[in-house]
Amino acid sequence: MQIATAFGAALKKIRRSRDLSQKQLALDSGLDRTFISLLERGKRQPTLGTVFQISKALDIPAVDMIRHTEKAMKRPGRRNVPLRR
């Protein structure tokens, strides 16, 4: 799974667990709702600043957003993309 797709899956899962709509997350984070949708569908990759904006709006540490993304990349049946070090 590509990083953008994994981040999108993680974002969607966390957002839904907080019972937030894309619109509400966009308002809380200062981002556009369309951009949130593009992120969730893996069509865009967030900048580091965006990760922090979203994590603050979701009341979750940015590091946990990354952990959820890594977890999504390792799900069985999906192509894993190694992280560059």
Side-chain angles (χ1 to χ4, degrees):
M1 176 182 280
Q2 292 183 345
I3 293 171
T5 306
F7 180 83
L11 173 58
K12 187 174 187 175
K13 183 176 180 177
I14 296 166
R15 176 182 61 78
R16 285 183 169 178
S17 76
R18 302 285 196 272
D19 199 31
L20 290 173
S21 65
Q22 288 180 345
K23 183 178 180 180
Q24 189 58 55
L25 177 57
L27 290 170
D28 293 348
S29 64
L31 299 168
D32 190 85
R33 191 217 49 88
T34 305
F35 184 60
I36 299 294
S37 174
L38 291 169
L39 288 171
E40 287 188 0
R41 291 183 289 136
K43 302 292 183 186
R44 295 286 184 271
Q45 288 192 39
T47 64
L48 184 57
T50 300
V51 172
F52 275 87
Q53 280 180 266
I54 291 171
S55 65
K56 183 176 179 182
L58 291 170
D59 194 30
I60 183 173
V63 69
D64 287 349
M65 293 282 301
I66 302 305
R67 284 188 185 117
H68 283 279
T69 301
E70 287 180 320
K71 199 175 188 182
M73 290 177 68
K74 295 177 183 175
R75 287 192 186 130
R78 300 207 173 139
R79 188 173 75 88
N80 291 330
V81 178
L83 299 175
R84 294 178 190 232
R85 295 183 189 253

